[in-house]
Amino acid sequence: MRQQIDGAVVLTAADEDVMEYLPNRGVFMAQLLGRDRGNAFGFYRGTMGPGCEISRELHTETTETIYILAGQALGIVGDREVPLGPGQMMHVETNVHHGLRNTGAGPLEFLVIGHPDF
């Protein structure tokens, strides 16, 4: 469901288009908010299969916050690896190498906030 209301939008995350986050195989993202709605604030829902990962990346103009909904993950920040589980988040400032790996036996479900949008 997506409903435009003057000054707002109501949507169901599961109904939004999902695309594979290439070149990271097994990682799927749905953009919920972005430059076209959300005032350049990016909000994404992601799923990742067991053993899959978002390779180390760096954003020069965007901070990134990852919130774990379900599953077990390993957050990579610079040279450190941090275990993450449901209810935990990792915030990464601009110009910091980072990544995310599913270390659990089932799917990893997470939210990503980019400010401004990627």
Side-chain angles (χ1 to χ4, degrees):
M1 174 192 97
R2 184 185 300 175
Q3 182 180 8
Q4 287 291 142
I5 303 169
D6 290 339
V9 63
V10 176
L11 57 86
T12 301
D15 293 343
E16 295 299 303
D17 293 335
V18 176
M19 300 187 69
E20 193 165 21
Y21 184 56
L22 298 174
N24 303 285
R25 294 280 184 201
V27 179
F28 299 89
M29 305 286 277
Q31 182 180 37
L32 307 178
L33 295 175
R35 294 184 191 278
D36 60 337
R37 63 175 184 246
N39 297 325
F41 175 86
F43 187 62
Y44 300 78
R45 180 178 176 274
T47 58
M48 185 183 303
C52 295
E53 69 180 344
I54 297 175
S55 300
R56 288 171 50 94
E57 57 188 12
L58 179 126
H59 306 296
T60 59
E61 299 178 5
T62 303
T63 64
E64 182 171 344
T65 304
I66 300 167
Y67 181 85
I68 306 300
L69 295 168
Q72 296 299 313
L74 191 64
I76 298 136
V77 182
D79 294 332
R80 296 193 62 192
E81 295 182 342
V82 181
L84 298 169
Q88 292 185 302
M89 61 170 263
M90 177 175 79
H91 177 75
V92 182
E93 296 292 337
T94 57
N95 295 310
V96 175
H97 283 97
H98 61 282
L100 186 69
R101 181 177 312 130
N102 182 348
T103 57
L108 177 67
E109 298 178 19
F110 56 100
L111 300 174
V112 176
I113 300 166
H115 188 264
D117 193 22
F118 304 100

